[in-house]
Structures are given as structure tokens and as C-alpha cells.
Amino acid sequence: MKKKVKRVRKWKTEQVAELKELLGAYKTIGIAKIRGLGAQQLQRIRKEFREKTRLRVSKNSLISISLGESGMKDMADFIDDQMALIFTDVDAFELYNVLEEGKIPAPIKAGAVAPLDIVIEEGPTSLKPGPIVGDLQNLGIPAGIAGGKVVIKQRNVAVEEGERVSPALAEMLARLEIHPVKEGLDLCAVYDAEGDVLFTPDVLHIDPATYFADMKAGVKAALSLATHIKYGYPTRYTIGDLIREAGVKSHALALSIAYPTPSTITPLIQKAQSHAWNLSITACVYERETMAYLLAKARSQAQSLALILEQRHV
């Protein structure tokens, strides 16, 4: 009796080949969860991101085979739900930011776990007065009617982070137009083909502005440290300042000890000339350079003396 051989369907083989071709054609490969996203939402995502990314939904088994045969076996470990592959040439961090910015607020579904405290703020609502007030109160939400509108009387935490949302509360939150979750693709991992690096969302979840600010602060601190210990640890960033400082100090020393150099000879001669001039004036040395000043000084002194004598006679 011949052993029955199970043949792989042709479309599966073709799809694996197509996925492998895409995996080898792009610099960055992402894998994301799509559970809970309907056809309309997926179509919106494809449309919004088509300029930067390409989205491909397939069976998890085919995705796993494609990744394994493309040398990306580690990415297959992140397949645990309904998944999709994302192909792009932007880097992993930009891909993460693009997908996060593309998420839109959405109502939370019944049975879902609250990602954070779901708060109903105090104030008027868009609900029309009627039995809805009793429904709100039955859910523990203080409500009433004022000015012809249903109002929330005080701020209320409807669901705490980590708690499951009941069907009745999920429906009420939707009617109140409270959308505590964001709808979109949730990245599980990103593979950088050029760097052969696998990133997870906890690494990609950074604020670029904060990252660059931290980088600048780190560079500034390193430069400050290098400058503080500059004499004992010169670096290519401080050596220029060290040489300039040494030049300034050596110039000042040469001037203070009257040591002639190409850079000090001019100020030294000027200083000597100034001292000689002052000495000639003080000692009343009659030279061509001092005569005009000495005559002017003598005239000034004579005028002062004449004024004193005149005042005495008066």
C-alpha cells in the first residue's frame, strides 16, 4: 500500500515566495498585531501609510515560514496573534513613530482591559434627557438633568487601569463619545536588514526631542569633564583650547620678564619708549621730543604762580 503524500497547496507556496521576495526588497521589516481591526480600518491604514510603507496580511504559518527562510527566524517568535508584515525603507524608529502618529481614538470594546484609568469628566453631555440618566446612575456614574441636558455631576473614574470593561459600560462610554483607546497597528518587532538588528517597541518608544536633548547634555557634560581635567587628559576636543591657552600664558610671561620674541618685541619697545618718555619728563631732560611738553608744563606752572601772586596783592 502506497503512503499518502500530503501536497502543499499551490497558493501557499506562491504566497511564501512572494513574502520572501518582499522581505529581501526592503531595508526595514515590521511585524504587527491586527486583531480587532476590520477590513475598513485596514483599508484606512493602507491608504494613509502607502507612501512610506507596504502592509501585507497573511496566515501566521506562512509568515513564520517566510521569515525563517529569509534569515529572520527571531522575528517569528513574536507571532502570537493575527499578524501582518510591514515593509518600508524608513528606519525602525521612524516606522514606529509613523504608526503611532497614525493611530486614531476609538471606543473601547466590551471585555477589553482598560489601558489606563477611564475618566468621565464633570459637565454637560450630548445625551438627551430620559431613561439614560438612570442607566448612568446604575453604572455608578453620578448624573442628572440641568438646562435641558444630561450632565455628569462630578468627575468619576469609570474603570481603573487593568480592569475589564463590562458590555453596559462599553456601550455607555461610546454614547458619551469617550474613546480611551487608539486604533491602529501595534508593532511587536522591527528588523533592520542593513544593521542586522532586531528592535522591540520598548526600545523604539522614545521621544526624538528628548533623545537629542539628552545627547546634547551628555556631550556637554563630557566636554565639561574633559575641560576640567584638560591638563591631565587632553583630547581632540580640548587640545585646541589648551594650545591657545598656552600661547596666551607664554606671551604674558615673556612680556612680564621682558623676553624678546617675534610677538613681544613690538610691545616691549613701546613699553621702553613709554618709560623713557616718562623719565625724561619727570627729570626735565631737554630733548627734541620733550621740549614742547616741558615748555607747555612751564607755561602752565607760571600762569598758576602769577594767579597766586595776584590774589595776594588784592
Side-chain angles (χ1 to χ4, degrees), residues 137-259:
Q137 292 174 346
N138 289 336
L139 290 170
I141 303 170
I145 298 175
K149 294 182 178 181
V150 175
V151 297
I152 306 301
K153 293 182 177 180
Q154 66 181 49
R155 187 176 185 273
N156 177 262
V157 178
V159 188
E160 292 185 355
E161 179 181 349
E163 292 183 349
R164 292 195 176 275
V165 180
S166 67
L169 183 56
E171 180 184 354
M172 185 60 68
L173 291 171
R175 294 182 68 179
L176 289 168
E177 299 178 345
I178 295 175
H179 300 156
V181 297
K182 288 188 175 182
E183 181 181 85
L185 295 174
D186 289 325
L187 270 180
C188 297
V190 181
Y191 177 71
D192 181 347
E194 289 187 335
D196 191 23
V197 179
L198 184 66
F199 294 99
T200 51
D202 59 320
V203 175
L204 299 172
H205 181 61
I206 62 172
D207 179 7
T210 302
Y211 175 78
F212 286 114
D214 290 343
M215 284 287 291
K216 288 180 181 178
V219 171
K220 186 177 180 181
L223 184 59
S224 176
L225 176 61
T227 303
H228 185 68
I229 59 174
K230 57 187 176 181
Y231 301 117
Y233 187 73
T235 69
R236 63 191 178 113
Y237 300 105
T238 60
I239 192 65
D241 289 336
L242 287 173
I243 292 173
R244 283 189 290 271
E245 182 180 343
V248 171
K249 288 184 176 180
S250 63
H251 183 76
L253 176 61
L255 286 175
S256 67
I257 64 174
Y259 185 80

Side-chain angles (χ1 to χ4, degrees), residues 21-71:
E21 183 179 353
L22 289 169
L23 288 167
Y26 289 87
K27 298 177 182 178
T28 306
I29 312 298
I31 187 167
K33 293 182 180 181
I34 58 170
R35 179 173 293 279
L37 295 177
Q40 185 176 357
Q41 290 92 335
L42 283 174
Q43 188 64 26
R44 175 188 66 80
I45 291 169
R46 278 196 172 101
K47 184 177 180 181
E48 288 183 358
F49 301 146
R50 63 186 175 188
E51 292 184 2
K52 290 189 174 182
T53 65
R54 181 173 180 179
L55 180 69
R56 185 62 191 269
V57 178
S58 185
K59 286 183 172 293
N60 287 350
S61 58
L62 301 183
I63 292 176
S64 181
I65 293 171
S66 304
L67 291 171
E69 293 183 0
S70 299

